Amino acid sequence: MGVTYKYFGAPDGATAARVPISMRPEELGGDELGMGGMFTKIKPETMAAMVLTGIEGVPLHKVPPLELIVLHPDYAVVKLPMTVVDPLRDIGEEAVGAAAFIWSTVPDRGGPRDAFNVYQLLHEWQDFSHRLHDAGHQAYCLVWP
């Protein structure tokens, strides 16, 4: 048993803070990552590092912290910086592949290590980035045990 993460989009922090209470799809604005939301074991800080290190070339120790929106005894909601979502919108297939390879070679980091798994994850994240942008939403992650 471990922690589960659900990535979703919301127009603002107040809306994102209400999401865990209802968990209704309409509350999420239809921006869940993947079909029906993406429930994953990959931490939001790992997603941030994967994008910023692999695509933007940011050293691992310079990846910005996440913003805590809600801290509840049963769950937390964090906001991911737009610098984690925006870079994926305008890159092509080669750049996604290169980012996956770069991330798979970064020492002392968490998350998936296989370049193909990272590649698939970055593609899902790229789709998510487009949906967020189209809806005018920001990226959030619901964290619960």
Side-chain angles (χ1 to χ4, degrees), residues 71-117:
L71 180 58
H72 184 275
D74 298 327
Y75 61 85
V77 175
V78 295
K79 178 182 175 189
L80 285 81
M82 288 311 286
T83 54
V84 173
V85 181
D86 287 344
L88 278 165
R89 274 203 335 269
D90 300 321
I91 65 170
E93 191 67 28
E94 296 82 16
V96 173
F101 175 76
I102 289 166
W103 181 253
S104 73
T105 64
V106 172
D108 301 327
R109 49 100 179 114
R113 298 187 179 279
D114 178 69
F116 184 71
N117 290 342

Side-chain angles (χ1 to χ4, degrees), residues 44-73:
E45 56 270 23
T46 301
M47 281 305 309
M50 206 179 293
V51 170
L52 295 176
T53 302
I55 295 171
E56 298 289 294
V58 174
L60 205 52
H61 68 280
K62 295 220 180 215
V63 172
L66 305 174
E67 181 184 340
L68 183 64
I69 303 298
V70 173
L71 180 58
H72 184 275

Side-chain angles (χ1 to χ4, degrees), residues 118-130:
V118 174
Y119 173 80
Q120 289 179 309
L121 188 60
L122 287 175
H123 262 296
E124 290 178 28
W125 197 253
Q126 191 173 37
D127 292 341
F128 182 51
S129 174
H130 285 287

